Amino acid sequence: MVFLGCDGGSTKTEWLLVDHTGQVLAHRIFPGCNFAFWGEDGFRDLMVRSVQTLLADSGITSQQITSAMLSLTVYGEVPGTEEFFPQVMQSILPDCPLQFSNDSVAGWCGSLAGRPGINIVAGTGSVAYGQDSAGNASRVGGWSLFFADEGSCSWVARQMITEFVKQADGRHPRSAIYEELRQELSITHDLYFSGYLQTNVRQDSSLLAKLQLVVLRAAQRGDPAAIGIYHRAAEELTEMATAIRQQLTFSAGETVPVSYSGGLFRAGEVIMTPFRACMDRESFVLNEPRYSPVLGALILAARGFLSLEESDAMADRTAAQLTTAPSVQ
C-alpha cells in the first residue's frame, strides 16, 4: 500500500509519499498554496507542478496510490473550495482515492497521533482543532491573518506594529522594539514604515508574519512591551483550547491533552513559559507534538487501512528518515 499526505499552508506546501511500512518514496516542500492569495490558476499550477515532481521522484503512478489526504488552508473557508479542490486534484491524480480537510485537521492528527485532544496551530495564522473519543470535532479561530488569528505570528507582528508607531510618535517610551524594527528594515525615517506596510506587506502577507522575529529579538533583550505581547499571545491561544473543550464531550475529571505546532513556538521559552503557565492554570495537559502536520495528513490517509498502532509504526519510521531538508521548488 502507498499513502500520500499533503500539508498545504500559507507559507509552505509539504508532500510525503510513503508505503505502509513507512519507507519514504518522495518528500518535497513547495511554496504555500493559499487559494485566497493564488487564485484558481495559481493554485492549479502549483498543484500540477508539485504532484508531477513528487511522482517523478518516486517513480510511481497515481494509480498506485492507495489513498491520499490533502489538508489544505482555506478548504471549507472560501466558497467553492470544497468543489474546486477535488476537481483540480482529481484531474492531476486520476483514479487515486482522494480525501480533503482543512490544514488544521492535519496539525491535530500529527501532534496527537490521531488520538483525542486539542491541537493549537500558531504559525502565519492561528487555529485550534480538537476531537473527543466519540469522534466529535470542533474548530476555533483561523478567521483572518489581518483581522483575527489571535496569538499567531501575524497577530504578534500586528501588536508590535501598534507599539512601534506609538513609540515613534512619542506616545510610548522608545524601547528595543523601536530599535530592532528600524534595524530590520533599514528605516532612516519612521514614516517610511508606513510605506512598507502599504506596499510590501499588502502585496505579500508572509512579510507580516516574518516581523514576529523582530518582536522575538526585542523580547530576548528583555523589552517589557515585547515580552507582554508573547504573554498575551499565550492567553489568546489558551482561550481557543478552552472554547474547544467546552464544545466537545470529555468525561468529568478527564484530563484533556493539548499539543501545538507552528512557527510561533520556535520562539522557545519566550512563548513556552507563559503558554505552559496558562495551560496549567486551565488544567490542560500540555504534550509536545509527536509528529509534524504532514505526517498527520499521512496518518489520515491511512485510516481504514492501518490500525492506530500500525500508523504509529509507519509514522515513526517515516519521521526517522526525514533527517535532511527536502528541496524547495
Side-chain angles (χ1 to χ4, degrees):
M1 292 181 286
V2 175
F3 301 109
L4 172 63
C6 175
D7 171 47
S10 295
T11 302
K12 65 181 177 68
T13 305
E14 186 169 5
W15 299 79
L16 257 177
L17 189 64
V18 309
D19 69 17
H20 66 281
T21 71
Q23 177 62 43
V24 175
L25 305 177
H27 178 211
R28 286 273 184 164
I29 294 178
F30 294 84
C33 63
N34 193 322
F35 173 80
F37 301 153
W38 284 89
E40 290 188 2
D41 291 342
F43 177 84
R44 183 184 292 106
D45 291 345
L46 176 62
M47 293 294 108
V48 168
R49 180 162 57 93
S50 300
V51 172
Q52 288 178 345
T53 303
L54 202 73
L55 294 181
D57 285 349
S58 66
I60 70 168
T61 66
S62 65
Q63 289 83 1
Q64 294 174 274
I65 300 174
T66 307
S67 176
M69 170 58 80
L70 289 88
S71 294
L72 306 173
T73 187
V74 311
Y75 179 76
E77 300 169 8
V78 174
T81 53
E82 290 160 297
E83 296 76 34
F84 180 71
F85 287 3
Q87 178 187 40
V88 168
M89 297 311 303
Q90 200 67 69
S91 69
I92 303 170
L93 290 165
D95 304 318
C96 173
L98 298 172
Q99 304 174 66
F100 295 85
S101 73
N102 189 267
D103 57 336
S104 60
V105 183
W108 160 79
C109 190
S111 284
L112 293 168
R115 271 72 169 182
I118 299 167
N119 183 61
I120 296 172
V121 180
T124 303
S126 65
V127 67
Y129 178 90
Q131 288 190 14
D132 59 26
S133 57
N136 301 309
S138 176
R139 167 189 158 144
V140 170
W143 290 93
S144 168
L145 295 179
F146 294 104
F147 304 107
D149 281 24
E150 296 85 357
S152 68
C153 292
S154 296
W155 181 90
V156 167
R158 296 202 317 265
Q159 309 311 301
M160 181 271 295
I161 290 168
T162 298
E163 182 63 27
F164 174 84
V165 299
K166 289 187 175 182
Q167 291 188 15
D169 282 347
R171 286 177 278 171
H172 286 181
R174 291 179 177 175
S175 68
I177 280 180
Y178 179 81
E179 297 168 4
E180 290 289 346
L181 184 60
R182 282 177 60 95
Q183 180 176 340
E184 173 72 17
L185 301 179
S186 300
I187 295 173
T188 56
H189 189 286
D190 289 343
L191 278 177
Y192 291 165
F193 182 51
S194 175
Y196 178 82
L197 295 175
Q198 296 300 320
T199 55
N200 299 58
V201 173
R202 286 185 66 183
Q203 295 173 15
D204 183 355
S205 63
S206 68
L207 295 176
L208 179 64
K210 290 176 182 176
L211 289 177
Q212 181 263 149
L213 298 175
V214 174
V215 193
L216 176 59
R217 290 196 296 271
Q220 290 169 337
R221 290 176 56 184
D223 186 333
I227 293 170
I229 290 173
Y230 283 102
H231 279 255
R232 296 199 300 277
E235 293 285 354
E236 294 284 359
L237 298 173
T238 302
E239 186 176 70
M240 292 183 186
T242 301
I244 287 183
R245 181 170 59 185
Q246 292 170 346
Q247 294 169 23
L248 297 180
T249 303
F250 294 101
S251 60
E254 179 181 358
T255 56
V256 180
V258 173
S259 194
Y260 52 91
S261 57
L264 185 75
F265 295 106
R266 288 197 285 272
E269 288 306 310
V270 170
I271 182 62
M272 291 306 302
T273 294
F275 187 53
R276 277 194 294 266
C278 290
M279 289 284 106
D280 289 345
R281 185 192 68 211
E282 299 300 325
S283 300
F284 288 113
V285 176
L286 191 60
N287 292 1
E288 289 188 11
R290 182 163 177 180
Y291 303 120
S292 66
V294 72
L295 276 166
L298 202 65
I299 292 169
L300 289 168
R303 276 192 169 179
F305 298 93
L306 302 179
S307 67
L308 272 178
E309 292 71 21
E310 289 170 332
S311 290
D312 289 347
M314 176 187 69
D316 284 339
R317 187 179 180 201
T318 300
Q321 294 172 72
L322 302 182
T323 56
T324 58
S327 301
V328 177
Q329 300 294 315

